[in-house]
Amino acid sequence: MKIENSLPLTQLPEAPPHMGLQFTVATEEDFDDIMAMSQHIYGGLDYIPTRYTDWLQEHNRTVILARKHGKVIALESVCVIDDGETVLVEGLRVAPQERGKGVAGVLLRFCSQLVKSKYPEVKVTRLTRDDQLGPKDFQKYRLITKQGILLVRFRAEQLKSRLAELSADGDMLTSPSAPPSSSLQVAPVRLDDTAIQRLYLASDLMHDVLPNGNIVQDWQPFKPLSSNMDILLKKDIDWLVDDPARPSVASLCTWPFRVPIGDHWYYLNIDMFGKDLALVRRQFLCHLRRHTATLKGHVMCQMFLDPPLWKPMEEFCRRALGVELVKEYTEQCVVESDL
Ligand SMILES: CC(C)(COP(=O)(O)OP(=O)(O)OC[C@H]1O[C@@H](n2cnc3c(N)ncnc32)[C@H](O)[C@@H]1OP(=O)(O)O)[C@@H](O)C(=O)NCCC(=O)NCCS
């Protein structure tokens, strides 16, 4: 079952009359209005400009706009995943001048009603937040899992030269021609589609590695199910693991994409699962080497990792890599409530 983007608007439930809001299904033509109300969102790291067109094509997703006097003032996307049992809420935003008036709450409730009527089999709603959650939020949501967020920035060309001075484990090479200190150890393994399916779906080897059993990829939490793998395998992701036979650390690096913070700014997202610091460092370096080989310009690199690893990785980033820390410790929280 799916919501078509061409869903006749008469089928959308009515908005509460006192808010003076109308709801419509977003189309290509709405892009400029959405961008106009999204300025400075997420500190310039908004992913919607690069994802919007794809979002409109995805059969399991609907993007809903709230309008006031015809003008777009809020957006929310709902995407059905986990074999149809979960709706993922993404992209939630309210125009700056309309914030603090309860618009987000009305839009969230409207979209829940819509999903309930169109997808009766959906049981829960999930979303990923990075703001400070308070007692009121925990009355509404259960915490499913959380990861620390390490956000650093660098120029790709500079980091590339720095990486050339480091071994695969992140130690300084004594001389540029010296072999990496870890050359005798096994390097992280890049997984192809078959290996990904084997590891994540056909075995329970990843069970203790994944945060509460979820593959959280670039803010999207997926249960390891075949239907979710179909979604994940369509994306440009580097999948690494330390040892496919006995995995301790697995990572997913989303292909860098442009963000509106400035010209030639890219966003590099790395989801890191596992608790072994040395292996995490090695896999992080492996992702960085791959992408800085071709990337030119400024990079905002965001790594999501087990919270206790944040501090040592932050020190490593500053001291060994010479990159700049953008933000102190924050958390990426996956929360859930019954629909
Ligand atoms: C976060 C944001 C959408 C809140 O919009 P708002 O209309 O000002 O929200 P309000 O403060 O009036 O809160 C109203 C409701 O929204 C909910 N809400 C607020 N922030 C939320 C968030 N980040 N995720 C989910 N719900 C949120 C509140 O819990 C409240 O719910 P209730 O009506 O059930 O009590 C808005 O400040 C915004 O667009 N910020 C920039 C983008 C952003 O940070 N988006 C969040 C992505 S997770």
Side-chain angles (χ1 to χ4, degrees), residues 41-42 92-94 99-105 108-109 127-129 131 136-137 140:
I41 225 162
Y42 306 143
L92 180 66
R93 62 199 52 205
V94 171
R99 288 182 194 161
K101 302 177 189 172
V103 172
L108 283 160
R109 282 187 284 279
L127 66 157
T128 314
R129 295 178 60 161
D131 52 332
K136 209 172 156 226
D137 295 301
K140 231 171 21 175

Side-chain angles (χ1 to χ4, degrees), residues 107-222:
L107 181 56
L108 283 160
R109 282 187 284 279
F110 174 84
C111 290
S112 292
Q113 283 307 116
L114 180 69
V115 170
K116 264 187 202 168
S117 64
K118 297 291 163 191
Y119 299 84
E121 75 281 17
V122 172
K123 294 189 176 68
V124 294
T125 178
R126 280 192 171 188
L127 66 157
T128 314
R129 295 178 60 161
D130 69 347
D131 52 332
Q132 192 70 46
L133 297 171
K136 209 172 156 226
D137 295 301
F138 288 114
Q139 281 170 12
K140 231 171 21 175
Y141 297 112
R142 302 180 282 276
L143 180 66
I144 300 302
T145 186
K146 65 179 177 188
Q147 294 263 79
I149 304 176
L150 178 56
L151 181 63
V152 295
R153 74 176 152 218
F154 52 82
R155 267 204 80 97
E157 298 87 332
Q158 277 168 7
L159 185 65
K160 188 178 176 180
S161 346
R162 191 69 170 237
L163 288 170
E165 296 164 3
L166 298 178
S167 73
D169 287 327
D171 301 321
M172 281 301 284
L173 292 172
T174 38
S175 95
S177 54
S181 63
S182 63
S183 58
L184 296 176
Q185 298 168 18
V186 183
V189 177
R190 180 158 289 115
L191 302 173
D192 63 17
D193 289 9
T194 313
I196 294 165
Q197 308 246 25
R198 197 181 311 129
L199 185 59
Y200 281 82
L201 298 181
S203 83
D204 57 7
L205 289 169
M206 290 302 292
H207 188 266
D208 294 334
V209 180
L210 294 175
N212 201 3
N214 290 274
I215 308 170
V216 189
Q217 184 267 328
D218 195 2
W219 299 95
Q220 297 184 316
F222 293 100

Side-chain angles (χ1 to χ4, degrees), residues 19 38 54 116 261 317:
M19 298 286 295
S38 303
D54 291 342
K116 264 187 202 168
I261 192 167
C317 282

